[in-house]
Amino acid sequence: MSTGQGTGNGGRRIEVRHLRAFLAIADEGGVTRAATRLGVTQPVVSRTLAALERHLGVRLVDRSTHHLALTAEGLAFRDKAATAVAAFEEALDPGRLRHWPLRLGHAWSAFGPYTTPLLRTWQQRHPETPLELLRIDDRTAGLTRGEVDAALLRGPVDTPGLVTEVLFTEERVAAVAADGPLAARASLSLADLTGGAVVLNTVSGATTPALWPLHARPAATLTVANTDDWLTAIAAGRGSGVSGASTAQMHPHAGVTYVPLDDAPPLPVLLARRDGPGHPAFPRLAALAREIVAREQRTPPGNSIE
């Protein structure tokens, strides 16, 4: 079955297979892997993509690097193509929509204490649409690269093209070496951390030197690229860190003690999506996330409902 209008090139039309080929390339990051996934040859996939790009009049895939990446136009088109294919398949067989999972990215700590209730409740209510929770070490957890359909993000996010909603805020904590002098304190202030180095995750973290007043910033900083390296550096006594309270629950570490911070502003936890058409299940995810937060915050500790 064809969709779209004729291209003027021999009366050829854009069909669903063109969209499927493009989506396979976007998901797999390469033509060869996309061809394997689709069960066709690499030249067929390349020709199909080229025909789609000619029809649209734009480049969807950047071929200048060994690992193919979507162009800005490709990122914008991906959601439209995915929505069109899902609608086509649902029209033929509503049950086939279950094969399109909803990918939810996060850089660390996921949905904090609400992670398990969210995943379990989603599975109970929407078993036809798998919810895949993916950790991606990126400030937008892969959202701007098209690797996920939605993302749980922390801290202010001003990336163009994203729509965000604050779901809840969490207190910040200091992360210090378990055998260091600060670990025995009942609470700390930001100033208590400035005498030594502060470890910053500059790839996906939400803490920057701007958290401290200009006249009282840390004496030194140590940069890392992910939460695992952040924890390792702190445990080794190379510096202290600052994160949200969920990190203490989601990332316990024998060499790290988490201590409440008295004077740090709360950290917002956001649900983000790209502006424009997206996964049809996203509104249900947003509604459930709000429901879970409201429900769990009303439930006394130790009596969580799952």
Side-chain angles (χ1 to χ4, degrees):
M1 179 178 291
S2 299
T3 62
Q5 302 298 318
T7 65
N9 183 13
R12 293 181 181 176
R13 301 171 65 88
I14 293 301
E15 303 174 353
V16 174
R17 63 184 176 85
H18 292 85
L19 303 183
R20 288 199 181 106
F22 165 70
L23 291 172
I25 293 170
D27 290 344
E28 300 294 338
V31 173
T32 301
R33 289 189 295 274
T36 300
R37 170 173 158 178
L38 296 171
V40 298
T41 64
Q42 180 177 337
V44 167
V45 174
S46 296
R47 289 196 299 269
T48 303
L49 173 63
L52 178 61
E53 290 179 322
R54 285 196 303 270
H55 176 81
L56 296 173
V58 297
R59 281 283 187 183
L60 300 174
V61 176
D62 181 2
R63 302 167 176 79
S64 62
T65 61
H66 178 70
H67 180 81
L68 298 186
L70 299 187
T71 63
E73 293 80 6
L75 286 171
F77 184 68
R78 183 188 181 280
D79 285 341
K80 297 178 181 179
T83 300
V85 171
F88 175 79
E89 293 182 346
E90 186 179 18
L92 296 180
D93 179 2
R96 294 181 67 180
L97 187 58
R98 72 187 61 192
H99 299 299
W100 184 16
L102 175 58
R103 302 165 303 167
L104 179 61
H106 71 104
W108 85 97
S109 294
F111 204 24
Y114 312 120
T115 302
T116 297
L118 177 70
L119 295 176
R120 288 188 174 182
T121 306
W122 180 272
Q123 174 62 25
Q124 292 165 1
R125 296 186 186 177
H126 309 292
E128 75 285 353
T129 304
L131 179 59
E132 297 182 353
L133 187 64
L134 305 172
R135 175 181 159 184
I136 298 175
D137 292 311
D138 175 76
R139 187 67 187 95
T140 65
L143 188 57
T144 56
R145 301 200 301 260
E147 297 179 34
V148 295
D149 304 297
L152 293 162
L153 308 177
R154 283 170 167 77
V157 177
D158 55 6
T159 305
L162 297 187
V163 178
T164 63
E165 173 187 353
V166 177
L167 295 173
F168 67 97
T169 61
E170 57 185 17
E171 299 301 315
R172 300 196 200 221
V173 297
V176 300
D179 58 355
L182 298 179
R185 298 273 294 274
S187 65
L188 295 168
S189 68
L190 288 171
D192 291 326
L193 307 180
T194 59
V198 171
V199 185
L200 303 175
N201 176 356
T202 56
V203 174
S204 59
T207 301
T208 71
L211 183 62
W212 286 262
L214 185 60
H215 63 280
R217 291 189 173 170
T221 58
L222 172 66
T223 60
V224 295
N226 57 60
T227 301
D228 297 330
D229 291 347
W230 181 80
L231 288 167
T232 299
I234 294 169
R238 301 182 65 190
S240 57
V242 175
S243 190
S246 292
T247 305
Q249 177 185 13
M250 304 293 288
H251 297 280
H253 192 291
V256 175
T257 296
Y258 296 98
V259 183
L261 276 172
D262 293 331
D263 57 350
L267 187 64
V269 180
L270 318 172
L271 179 63
R273 63 173 175 83
R274 291 184 295 279
D275 192 9
H279 196 293
F282 176 84
R284 297 197 296 273
L285 174 66
L288 180 58
R290 297 184 205 106
E291 176 190 328
I292 292 292
V293 171
R295 184 181 74 186
E296 296 292 317
Q297 289 182 345
R298 290 194 306 266
T299 304
N303 294 307
S304 177
I305 302 173
E306 294 182 352

